[in-house]
Amino acid sequence: MPGFEIFGDEEKKEVMDVLDTGVLFRYGFEGTRKGHYKALEFEKRLGNITGAGFSHLCSSGTAALCTALAACGIGAGDEVIIPPFTFVATFEAVISAGAIPVFGEIDETLCLNPDRLEAVCTPRTKAVVPVHMCGAMARIDEIKKFCDQKGLILLEDACQSLGASFQGKALGTFGLAGCFSFDAVKTVTCGEGGGIVTDSRGVYDLCDQFSDHGHDHLGGPDRGADDHPIIGTNYRISELNAAVGLAQLNKLPLILDIQRKNKKAIKDAMTDLPGVSFRYLPDPFGDSASFLSFFLPTQERARQVAANLAANGIPCPYWYDNNWHYYKKWHHLKQLKGPARLALELADNLPDYKNLVLEESDAIMKRTISMQIMLSWSQTDIDRRIQAIVKSFKA
Ligand SMILES: *Cc1c(COP(=O)(O)O)cnc(C)c1O
């Protein structure tokens, strides 16, 4: 999955364009920037790739989520349904907005189960934030239908799923807004960076303003002449980061080709292994193929196979024990002051995160192992990997 595996002269050229001018700021400096607007170019390209009407870059995927939540009008006291299997950033972003994360169950897509949203919906529910985990899609059409019926905002965390789609439509474009991450280990990297896509001019304008202290960017060359319709913060991306990402974005088709080819080779070799089954993909053709996730029949067997894989030189994430990706260890965030405390005070019935048990999600995650699909594998690497996998299943 990581775009850093295929860094080359293209990234250097884009960065040198910026360094040659000395203008690292994405706005202004018309006289000295020699026509280089890397962030702006990246945004146009991201809009083209996803088919979204508007696109805005931020300093990280987390910043993109915080910005999108603010721009969608989600804030103090609102409940936001999120999955328990994600990266902790989704949870953090909701809390930063002063809103209350409420966990729904996941299904064998490893993403939010649309059939279990009703169970956690309350009169305070404002939004659903599904996370398209490990490069592929939730049952996003059904989640969207639920949101539309209930009048809830749909905001997609597609941070791990750039290049993935459902029935030909890019993930991140099904709701009011969608977020991507371009951090150091994502499919396309800026070093640090994030992006928001939306079809709403209003949401885009608010994102643009919120991520730059409320600047409306309508004052012309003199930044001091901008108006500030809203309060915001600094979630701006630098031109240097955007430049790296711009070169990377051009490589997305190549990245997807390699991932899909490598994943297929491994998956084909695994189909007959005893007890193995694979993550359910609502649209296999839209999988970005950055991960291969599979299930074992029991928790004990999954732990054993995960241990065998590590012993045979190919460690694979067993997410159930992971404290960044699964809800089991996140109750500590409640102890923070600031927005988390606010969320606590505003909630009549804040989920008791410490004692929370999501039985259906646990039952799935206890049996799940994921393998990251790398771009740099040679045919020999893949063959060796397959041998190690077969061996791990025998033991
Ligand atoms: C990486 C990631 C984020 C946050 O992105 P950063 O750029 O690291 O801040 C948010 N959600 C998910 C699901 C992620 O994987």
Side-chain angles (χ1 to χ4, degrees), residues 174-202:
F174 285 81
L176 186 53
C179 295
F180 296 97
S181 165
F182 309 110
D183 79 21
V185 295
K186 293 298 204 289
T187 305
V188 154
T189 182
C190 293
E192 296 284 3
I196 303 157
V197 294
T198 178
D199 279 328
S200 159
R201 171 94 224 181

Side-chain angles (χ1 to χ4, degrees), residues 10-12 14 42 242-252:
E10 302 79 10
E11 283 79 1
K12 288 181 195 155
E14 294 293 339
F42 187 118
V244 174
L246 191 55
Q248 286 263 295
L249 212 49
N250 288 334
K251 298 179 180 181
L252 181 61

